[in-house]
Amino acid sequence: MTRHIWQTHVEEAGHLRHHQDVKPIYAKRKETIERVFADAKEKHGMRWTTLRGLKKLPMQAMLTFAAINLKKMANWTWRGPKIA
């Protein structure tokens, strides 16, 4: 039986995900990381593309996420820093 070269790392990540110290952090993924990709799909046209080719698609993705990051930076500067 052959295993993928990264299979041990994938299994370790799966085990760490269920560790008590990591569970609260992992639960925030849906609010932070996954939300970015959902917004990219719904608000920035990443669900479908009209471009073709291995050079054009990464260019579109980089421009889309650059625009999302610029929007975040603009919101941070307009709102001011959060005080915890």
Side-chain angles (χ1 to χ4, degrees):
M1 179 200 267
T2 58
R3 288 171 47 103
H4 192 270
I5 190 169
W6 299 111
Q7 188 62 35
T8 55
H9 299 291
V10 171
E11 290 171 358
E12 181 65 23
H15 293 305
L16 287 175
R17 183 171 58 116
H18 298 293
H19 194 271
Q20 292 300 322
D21 296 336
V22 180
K23 274 189 177 185
I25 299 168
Y26 194 79
K28 287 191 172 222
R29 274 186 60 158
K30 64 181 172 232
E31 300 168 8
T32 56
I33 298 168
E34 301 295 335
R35 185 77 244 155
V36 171
F37 291 108
D39 286 344
K41 277 175 58 178
E42 293 297 319
K43 299 177 183 174
H44 296 280
M46 292 289 289
R47 191 175 291 270
W48 295 283
T49 183
T50 57
L51 301 176
R52 290 191 169 203
L54 292 176
K55 291 184 180 177
K56 293 179 184 175
L57 286 176
M59 177 188 64
Q60 179 190 10
M62 282 190 277
L63 287 173
T64 300
F65 286 109
I68 291 171
N69 287 336
L70 286 171
K71 286 171 59 176
K72 280 185 185 179
M73 288 173 55
N75 282 331
W76 290 340
T77 57
W78 288 333
R79 289 185 193 153
K82 281 187 178 178
I83 299 173

